[in-house]
Amino acid sequence: MFLAWETDLGWSKSEISLGITLAILTSAACAPISGRIIDAGYGRFLMPVGAVVGALGLLLLAELDTKGGYWAAWILIGATQSATLYEPCFSFVIRTLGGKARFAITRITLVAGFASTLSFPAAALLNGAYGWRITVIIFACVVAFIAAPALYFGALLLERSTTQKAPAPIKAENRATIKRVMKRREFWLIAFGFAFVALNHGIILNHVLPIFVDRGASLWAATAAASMIGPSQVLGRVLMLRFERRLNSVPLAMIAISTACVASLVLLTAQYHPALIFLFAVLQGCAFGVFSILRPVMVADILGRAAFGAISARTSIPYLVAVAISPYIASLIWHAAGYDVVILFALIASLIGLIAVRSLRNAAHHQQPDI
């Protein structure tokens, strides 16, 4: 869709990408609000309503021709992302299932991991047949008439499947819990450790094709390798299923982040053997597939489940900001020093994340063994 917008609207890449950045930053700003709503017991309503409003944002995106309107539509979409994507979903599942949530989250993401695998080809086919505006309208209809009902009835069935009913917390108790948790060292290690890992993935993923070509790969090989990252996320989660009952969240996160570090090293050496980009794609995809779902699990393990939605949302803010700024940071480094230094910077970011998560091992004895 990016190329279609650039061709049809005549705007620069930075003007178009600003809309996506605004959406991510808005999602980060709205995340604590969504977390409080879920903590109050209204997650079953928040997610489908967010999906419907998100569909309206897509309809606006399809109709508006001005830059201001385009950016405003993305801001609305970003607000609804804080109510419908992984973060609120995980918060709702953990609040509803408690100690059984970790296994449910893994299985949810096994299915959700195919979203990009399906959406990118569908968008390309629909755009070629009907143009980008009709394509966006079709996606809006899918969100409103398929995703929203699925979110509502799925949440309803999940609530009815458990006899464990989480009581709605008293606001004063919630506020006290949030203040107490935010004073803990572990809170900041989780928040910024995962933010640095997100910086690694965002820097490379947003420049993956030119990086692969810079390594000496043909455009065809670069495209083929990039297409392996999404399915490899699912592979990583399948592998995680084999170990999640034997390892708690901290060792799992350390393994995933270490894999991302190895992937960056492989990408650095791919300039001598371009075929290594395929190995990089598998390693990076597996790593991101695992650590992208471990942060909320780690929050519940180490920081507890009281006021979980609000606390988990606060740990997501640095993560989402890192995702939003990573393409710009990569562009600045590339202009100044080239893609070798971009990859090296991404490697350093993941190493910082690994050190932060490694520091959490001292808190492992606080973990719930069944989550």
Side-chain angles (χ1 to χ4, degrees):
M1 300 302 291
F2 196 99
L3 293 176
W5 289 332
E6 189 176 12
T7 301
D8 184 58
L9 299 172
W11 301 341
S12 68
K13 285 182 172 65
S14 60
E15 291 169 335
I16 294 171
S17 61
L18 177 59
I20 301 171
T21 300
L22 287 172
I24 298 172
L25 293 176
T26 303
S27 178
C30 294
I33 300 173
S34 296
R36 287 197 296 269
I37 293 172
I38 292 169
D39 285 338
Y42 300 111
R44 171 157 53 98
F45 305 102
L46 173 70
M47 292 187 289
V49 170
V52 171
V53 178
L56 293 176
L58 289 173
L59 291 176
L60 288 175
L61 186 65
E63 295 297 327
L64 297 174
D65 290 315
T66 65
K67 295 175 186 175
Y70 171 84
W71 293 330
W74 275 112
I75 290 172
L76 178 60
I77 292 170
T80 63
Q81 287 176 341
S82 70
T84 55
L85 297 184
Y86 273 163
E87 181 66 35
C89 175
F90 294 165
S91 295
F92 174 79
V93 171
I94 288 175
R95 185 183 188 278
T96 304
L97 297 183
K100 300 177 182 178
R102 178 166 160 182
F103 309 113
I105 287 173
T106 304
R107 285 154 180 79
I108 289 170
T109 55
L110 283 177
V111 178
F114 288 103
S116 59
T117 306
L118 297 174
S119 62
F120 285 125
L125 289 172
L126 290 170
N127 179 59
Y130 305 109
W132 74 265
R133 294 184 189 274
I134 298 298
T135 300
V136 172
I137 291 172
I138 291 172
F139 274 102
C141 292
V142 169
V143 171
F145 298 114
I146 298 178
L151 286 169
Y152 176 78
F153 289 109
L156 180 63
L157 290 172
L158 193 66
E159 287 182 338
R160 290 180 176 178
S161 69
T162 178
T163 56
Q164 175 182 326
K165 303 297 181 183
I170 301 172
K171 289 184 179 180
E173 292 179 355
N174 244 2
R175 287 195 294 268
T177 300
I178 294 168
K179 289 181 180 179
R180 182 175 66 254
V181 168
M182 290 187 68
K183 292 178 181 178
R184 291 180 57 180
R185 172 173 169 266
E186 293 88 351
F187 173 90
W188 298 103
L189 285 172
I190 293 173
F192 284 96
F194 278 83
F196 276 103
V197 179
L199 196 61
N200 164 279
H201 190 67
I203 283 173
I204 293 177
L205 190 66
N206 283 282
H207 288 253
V208 68
L209 286 179
I211 286 176
F212 285 173
V213 172
D214 182 73
R215 302 293 88 183
S218 67
L219 182 58
W220 179 89
T223 303
S227 68
M228 294 173 58
I229 295 177
S232 295
Q233 294 181 30
V234 179
L235 174 61
R237 291 161 188 165
V238 171
L239 293 174
M240 177 181 166
L241 287 174
R242 296 183 59 86
F243 300 101
E244 63 178 351
R245 293 184 183 275
R246 287 176 282 177
L247 295 174
N248 60 43
S249 56
V250 174
L252 283 171
M254 290 178 61
I255 292 170
I257 299 171
S258 298
T259 302
C261 293
V262 173
S264 296
L265 288 172
V266 168
L267 191 57
L268 272 174
T269 59
Q271 61 182 316
Y272 306 108
H273 302 284
L276 287 174
I277 63 173
F278 292 94
L279 176 60
F280 161 81
V282 173
L283 292 173
Q284 185 76 10
C286 286
F288 185 72
V290 174
F291 67 65
S292 64
I293 65 176
L294 280 178
R295 181 181 49 78
V297 174
M298 195 176 293
V299 170
D301 283 349
I302 296 175
L303 303 179
R305 301 189 194 108
F308 176 83
I311 291 169
S312 181
R314 281 165 171 76
T315 66
S316 76
I317 292 174
Y319 182 95
L320 291 171
V321 170
V323 171
I325 66 175
S326 57
Y328 183 64
I329 290 176
S331 296
L332 289 178
I333 298 173
W334 173 72
H335 281 295
Y339 276 127
D340 279 348
V341 180
V342 170
I343 300 167
L344 185 60
F345 183 87
L347 171 61
I348 293 171
S350 60
L351 287 172
I352 294 173
L354 180 61
I355 292 169
V357 172
R358 172 66 178 81
S359 301
L360 287 165
R361 291 197 69 176
N362 294 332
H365 66 278
H366 295 300
Q367 294 188 348
Q368 306 286 341
D370 60 347
I371 188 170

